[in-house]
Amino acid sequence: MRKPMVWSVSGFVLGVAATLYLGHLLVVRGQQSERPGNSLSPPIDLPHDLSGLSIKNPRVRVVHTTDPKFEGGSMYLQQADPWLGYQWGKSLFQRNFRERDGVYGDTGKIEGILLPDGVSKMMDRSHTNSCGACHNVPYRDAGAGMTIAKNGGSGRNTPHMFGGGLVEMIGLQLRLQLLAIADENRDGWISFEEMKKAKRAIISNLPNGVNGERVEIDFGSFDDEDGDGYPDLNPVIFPIFVDKAGQRIAFAKNLKSPDVAGYTFEVQVFGHGHLYMPFRPPVSTTLRAFTIAPWEIHSGLQAHDPTTYTSPNRDALALVSNAGAQQFVTAAGKDRGGVRAPTKSGLPGISLDDPDRDGYCEEISEGDLDVAEWYFLNHPAPARGRQTSDTIIGERLFHKIGCASCHIPDWHLLAHNPKAKDYMQRYDGDRRFFELHVAFNDKNDRMEGKLAYLAEKKGNLTLPKRGAYTIRGIYSDFKYHDVGEEFYQMQFDGSIQKKWRTTPLWGVGTTAPYGHDGASLDLDNVIKRHGGEALDQRTRYLALTDLERKQLVCFLQQLVLYQTDQLPCDMNGDGKIDEHFKVQGMDTGLERFNPEWLFKVPAKIEGSIRNIHGHRIVSFALTNLRQAYGLDLEYLRDTDGDGFPDVIDPDPLRPGFRDGIR
Ligand code: HEC
Ligand code: HEC
Ligand SMILES: [Ca+2]
Ligand SMILES: [Ca+2]
Ligand SMILES: [Ca+2]
Ligand SMILES: [Ca+2]
C-alpha cells in the first residue's frame, strides 16, 4: 500500500513543480517572445501569434557591414531594405532575451557607474531581459514606463524615446556649434589659451531666417573661472581631458591633472540628470551608446562593438556609425574582441572574450547595434492630439507665463555639408529616412498618420537626403537647471542631484507619472513642484484662474504618443487611408503603420481562417516569413539555428549557442 501512496504524492509534487515551471515559462514569455509560426504550424515546436503582433524573426546576430551589396548584412538592412532594418531593430528592443542568448549575470547585484563618493554604485544589474519591459507605454514601441531603483532611493522614471533620433541630432550639432566658438585653431579641442580667449557658450535654437521663437541659450563659460579644475559649462556638457597632442588622457580627473593641456567634450542630451563623474560620462551620449549600456546593466548582455572602441586618433572620438552618428570612445564596453573565432568566409569571427564569463560569446554584435540604432534614429516623433479652444488658449498661456523660456518649442538641424572647409560646419543634416506626419482628424475622430520619405532612391538603395529640418514642438533647451528643492534627489551616497535636464515635453500627455522620479502623478502636480530657477513661472501659474490652469494642462495633455503599429496611416502615398489595404493580394484591413508592408518582399498574411472554435478570424501570421524577413539572405542565414549566421559561425552545421559550436 505504501508504494502507490508515495507515487501519488510524488506525482502531485511533480505536477505542482511542472505547473510552477510552466507558469514560470509563461511569465518569461509574457512580453514579446518569438512567435514565427502561422495557424498551420504546430504551436509547441513553432509558436504562433495569429494577431501577428509578436516578434517573428529568430534571434540571429546581425553581421556588421559597411557595403550594402552584402545581402542581409547591416548596411544592406539599412540601405537596401530599410524597413526590414527598422523592424529588426524594433524586435531587438522588444525581444525577451533567453538564457541561450547569454542573458543575465550576477542578477540583482549592486552595480553600475560610481556615485561621487567613489564607492557607491548607481543601480543593480540584470533585472529584466528586455528593453520593452520598462519602455512599454505604449506597448510595442520605444515608450515611457516604470520607475526603477537608480541613483537614489527615490528612483528614476523611464522616459520615452519617440523622436529620439531628433534629440540625438540636436546634441551632436550642439557639440559642433559649441566647439566652433572656442576651438579657434580648429584642432578639435580647447587649449588653456583658447579657454581664456573664448566668448561665452551661447547657441540659438533657430538660425536667422527660420520661422519661430528664436532665443539664445547660455551654456556657460569655456574657462575655469572658479578654479575648481572643470570648465564652467552647463553639466549637459561632459569634458574629456586631453594632452598637448589632443589625445585623451583616460585617467585625468580634471584640468589640473598631469599632462592635461585642455579638453574637448560630449553633449549629453539624454537622461534626466547626473552629477559630473571623472573618467567616464555619467550617462550615455549617443543612441548607440544608450543601447550598449542598458543591455549590459539591465540584461547582462555585453556588446562587442568595434564602432565604439576604435579610436583612430586616440582622441575622444570613436568611429562614425553606419547610421551616420559620431561615436565616442568613452562608451566602449568590456568586450574588445581580444580573441576572435575562425570563420570559413574570411570575415572577422565572433569575439571569444566573454567578459561576464557565462560561457556565451558576442552576446550583442556590432550589426545588432547598427539596426537598433537605425530603429531609434527613425522612430517617429510624438504628435499633437485633438485641438480645442482650451488647448489653443492653454498654449498661449504656456508662453505667456514663461514656461517656454526653458521648454523651448523649436530647434533647427542644419543641412549636411560634408565639403565645408571648416570641420565645425560639417553638419550631419537630418539622417532619418522617413518621418510620420501624425495629427488628429476631427472628421474621423482619431489620430492619423501620413508617411513622408526623407530619402531618395539611388538604384535599389534608399539614401537619406540629409537636408535641413526644423523640429517643431519638442519643448526643451537641453540644459540642466536647478528647479528647486522639491526636485532634489539624495543619491545613495548622500550626494545631492540638484540640477535636471529640461524634460522635452513632447508626448507628455501620455507619459505619467512625472518628474525624474515619477513622484508627480499628474501634470498640475509636477508644474506646481517647480521652484528655483522656475520660481517666477510657478508663481505665475498659481496666479492663473482655475480655468486657465486647466487650459494650460489641456494644452500639455494633447502632446501625445500613439501606438505606431496601430496608427491608421497613409502608407503608399495615395493620399487616403484605405479600409481594405491590399498587401501581396491579401486584405490587411485598415491601412496602418506596419513596417512589414514596406519590406523589400512585403509580408503576406494568412488572412481569413477558422480558429479552434470554428469562428472566422483574420490571421495576421505570415505565410512568407523567410522571404519577407530575409532569413535566407547570405548574411542572415543561420542553418543550424544557433543565433550565429553561417558567414560568422565557426561551424555552421553544428548548433552551439555559446560560441557557434558548444
Ligand atoms: C529596468 C528598466 C529599463 C530597461 C530594461 C531599459 N531602460 Fe532605458 N531607461 C530607463 C530609465 C529609468 C531611464 C532614465 C535614466 C536616467 O536618466 O536616470 C532610461 C533612459 C533611456 C534612454 C534615454 C532617453 C531620454 O530621452 O533621456 C534611452 C535612449 C534608453 N533608456 C534606451 C534603452 C534601451 C535601448 C534599452 C534596452 C537595451 C533600455 N533602455 C532598457 C529604464 C530602462
Ligand atoms: C528654469 C527652467 C524651467 C522652467 C521655466 C519651467 N520648467 Fe518645467 N521642467 C524643467 C526641468 C529642469 C524639469 C525636469 C524635472 C525633473 O527631471 O525632475 C521640468 C519638468 C517639467 C514637467 C515634467 C515632464 C515629465 O515628463 O516629467 C512638466 C510637465 C513641466 N516641466 C512643465 C512646465 C510648465 C507648464 C512650466 C511653466 C509654468 C515650466 N515647466 C517651466 C525646467 C523648467
Ligand atoms: Ca584648439
Ligand atoms: Ca558572456
Ligand atoms: Ca549558426
Ligand atoms: Ca554552429
Side-chain angles (χ1 to χ4, degrees):
M1 280 309 281
R2 246 186 105 87
K3 239 182 172 170
M5 184 63 189
V6 169
W7 275 113
S8 61
V9 169
S10 56
F12 174 73
V13 170
L14 268 178
V16 170
T19 314
L20 283 176
Y21 180 66
L22 288 175
H24 167 75
L25 279 186
L26 284 178
V27 171
V28 169
R29 287 183 170 177
Q31 182 110 7
Q32 291 269 328
S33 48
E34 248 172 51
R35 294 178 185 274
N38 56 37
S39 70
L40 300 176
S41 48
I44 298 285
D45 308 330
L46 203 60
H48 58 220
D49 165 16
L50 302 188
S51 81
L53 296 171
S54 297
I55 292 167
K56 304 184 187 84
N57 59 310
R59 171 71 182 127
V60 179
R61 286 163 184 75
V62 176
V63 177
H64 170 74
T65 54
T66 52
D67 189 329
K69 76 172 184 237
F70 301 112
E71 296 192 342
S74 67
M75 198 51 124
Y76 173 94
L77 291 174
Q78 178 175 321
Q79 296 187 336
D81 201 349
W83 291 104
L84 178 57
Y86 178 88
Q87 180 81 351
W88 205 285
K90 178 176 181 181
S91 79
L92 279 167
F93 189 76
Q94 296 299 340
R95 176 174 293 283
N96 285 334
F97 284 88
R98 297 154 295 192
E99 189 180 346
R100 68 177 222 201
D101 303 316
V103 78
Y104 295 151
D106 288 328
T107 306
K109 186 181 162 205
I110 305 282
E111 256 273 37
I113 297 176
L114 293 177
L115 292 171
D117 69 356
V119 205
S120 301
K121 293 174 173 169
M122 214 180 246
M123 54 195 297
D124 66 68
R125 58 177 300 118
S126 295
H127 38 243
T128 49
N129 64 344
S130 163
C131 310
C134 292
H135 293 272
N136 69 0
V137 180
Y139 190 46
R140 294 192 305 281
D141 275 300
M146 62 169 166
T147 304
I148 63 168
K150 187 173 172 292
N151 291 69
S154 53
R156 293 282 174 112
N157 185 247
T158 306
H160 74 77
M161 286 139 68
F162 277 61
L166 293 166
V167 177
E168 179 184 62
M169 291 188 280
I170 290 173
L172 289 170
Q173 179 174 298
L174 267 176
R175 178 175 166 274
L176 288 182
Q177 291 177 321
L178 286 166
L179 267 174
I181 298 174
D183 177 18
E184 211 177 75
N185 66 356
R186 295 298 194 254
D187 58 358
W189 57 284
I190 303 162
S191 65
F192 286 125
E193 205 180 310
E194 287 170 328
M195 278 168 61
K196 299 241 148 36
K197 282 201 275 179
K199 297 192 273 300
R200 275 190 87 80
I202 296 174
I203 297 289
S204 292
N205 57 326
L206 302 174
N208 279 320
V210 172
N211 283 344
E213 228 171 285
R214 180 170 190 264
V215 288
E216 300 205 312
I217 307 163
D218 187 344
F219 287 93
S221 160
F222 291 100
D223 199 6
D224 175 20
E225 287 163 26
D226 59 10
D228 65 354
Y230 306 104
D232 307 336
L233 291 162
N234 190 274
V236 72
I237 297 158
F238 175 80
I240 297 160
F241 303 106
V242 298
D243 65 15
K244 58 183 191 303
Q247 296 195 342
R248 168 174 174 248
I249 308 181
F251 292 100
K253 249 185 109 158
N254 59 37
L255 291 165
K256 296 171 181 168
S257 299
D259 298 327
V260 169
Y263 67 97
T264 182
F265 53 81
E266 300 175 23
V267 177
Q268 303 205 283
V269 285
F270 293 112
H272 293 297
H274 293 83
L275 290 178
Y276 174 81
M277 271 160 274
F279 312 137
R280 60 168 294 191
V283 64
S284 308
T285 298
T286 60
L287 287 171
R288 191 180 187 93
F290 225 130
T291 307
I292 297 174
W295 259 328
E296 142 66 347
I297 190 79
H298 298 305
S299 305
L301 292 162
Q302 285 85 37
H304 171 234
D305 186 31
T307 299
T308 347
Y309 69 65
T310 311
S311 178
N313 300 321
R314 302 167 136 265
D315 52 7
L317 303 180
L319 304 182
V320 173
S321 66
N322 274 7
Q326 176 67 58
Q327 303 301 316
F328 300 92
V329 75
T330 47
K334 296 175 191 159
D335 191 337
R336 303 291 171 97
V339 183
R340 309 285 289 262
T343 58
K344 296 191 173 76
S345 61
L347 286 171
I350 61 175
S351 164
L352 299 177
D353 281 15
D354 186 18
D356 65 352
R357 295 168 177 278
D358 61 358
Y360 294 92
C361 299
E362 186 129 342
E363 291 167 349
I364 300 290
S365 70
E366 191 179 15
D368 289 337
L369 293 169
D370 290 338
V371 292
E373 196 189 333
W374 186 240
Y375 164 65
F376 298 134
L377 170 66
N378 287 291
H379 195 290
R384 285 182 169 234
R386 198 160 86 89
Q387 300 298 310
T388 64
S389 57
D390 282 342
T391 63
I392 293 162
I393 297 168
E395 180 168 8
R396 261 184 241 137
L397 290 167
F398 179 85
H399 286 263
K400 191 173 149 206
I401 66 171
C403 306
S405 64
C406 294
H407 296 284
I408 294 176
D410 305 335
W411 281 82
H412 185 79
L413 298 172
L414 295 152
H416 191 36
N417 191 10
K419 297 206 181 91
K421 265 215 209 83
D422 180 353
Y423 85 91
M424 296 300 169
Q425 288 175 15
R426 281 179 219 147
Y427 304 115
D428 293 331
D430 184 354
R431 296 184 277 107
R432 299 173 303 163
F433 82 105
F434 76 92
E435 74 170 323
L436 217 50
H437 300 283
V438 183
F440 193 83
N441 181 327
D442 283 311
K443 206 171 83 216
N444 298 336
D445 197 25
R446 65 184 186 195
M447 299 293 290
E448 290 182 355
K450 184 172 170 25
L451 180 62
Y453 280 91
L454 302 170
E456 54 201 354
K457 280 251 172 215
K458 282 223 176 97
N460 59 357
L461 302 183
T462 302
L463 305 176
K465 288 188 203 146
R466 292 186 166 229
Y469 185 81
T470 308
I471 304 157
R472 301 287 180 189
I474 187 168
Y475 299 107
S476 177
D477 57 3
F478 297 98
K479 231 176 95 169
Y480 282 33
H481 296 276
D482 181 337
V483 279
E485 278 178 39
E486 288 185 49
F487 281 109
Y488 289 1
Q489 181 183 32
M490 188 198 285
Q491 305 199 85
F492 295 120
D493 67 345
S495 63
I496 299 200
Q497 177 74 39
K498 296 182 177 172
K499 289 190 168 185
W500 304 98
R501 177 197 61 158
T502 307
T503 320
L505 295 183
W506 59 2
V508 79
T510 32
T511 56
Y514 302 110
H516 64 272
D517 51 5
S520 303
L521 301 191
D522 62 49
L523 287 163
D524 180 58
N525 182 288
V526 76
I527 300 168
K528 286 181 178 155
R529 228 173 130 186
H530 284 59
E533 293 175 45
L535 186 61
D536 261 11
Q537 286 82 352
R538 188 206 18 206
T539 310
R540 294 165 77 181
Y541 177 73
L542 292 176
L544 298 176
T545 64
D546 273 356
L547 176 64
E548 286 171 326
R549 272 197 299 275
K550 283 205 182 99
Q551 287 167 323
L552 196 151
V553 168
C554 270
F555 158 63
L556 294 177
Q557 270 164 346
Q558 58 80 44
L559 303 174
V560 291
L561 307 182
Y562 47 90
Q563 200 162 34
T564 56
D565 62 13
Q566 297 304 300
L567 181 78
C569 183
D570 176 14
M571 293 290 273
N572 57 3
D574 65 358
K576 57 182 203 288
I577 295 173
D578 262 303
E579 288 296 320
H580 298 278
F581 189 60
K582 287 256 166 55
V583 182
Q584 294 274 32
M586 305 302 291
D587 180 352
T588 68
L590 190 63
E591 190 174 356
R592 292 170 205 270
F593 181 75
N594 176 6
E596 288 176 328
W597 304 155
L598 301 171
F599 288 177
K600 199 170 174 160
V601 180
K604 181 168 187 174
I605 63 167
E606 266 192 305
S608 180
I609 58 161
R610 279 193 195 282
N611 73 4
I612 44 165
H613 299 298
H615 300 151
R616 277 241 160 255
I617 59 161
V618 175
S619 164
F620 284 86
L622 304 188
T623 54
N624 69 341
L625 180 78
R626 296 200 69 81
Q627 299 89 319
Y629 274 82
L631 302 181
D632 294 318
L633 297 177
E634 190 185 355
Y635 277 59
L636 284 175
R637 194 191 311 120
D638 177 13
T639 307
D640 59 12
D642 59 8
F644 297 97
D646 295 1
V647 287
I648 58 161
D649 193 329
D651 188 342
L653 299 180
R654 194 156 114 214
F657 291 105
R658 293 165 186 274
D659 57 8
I661 305 170
R662 282 182 307 129

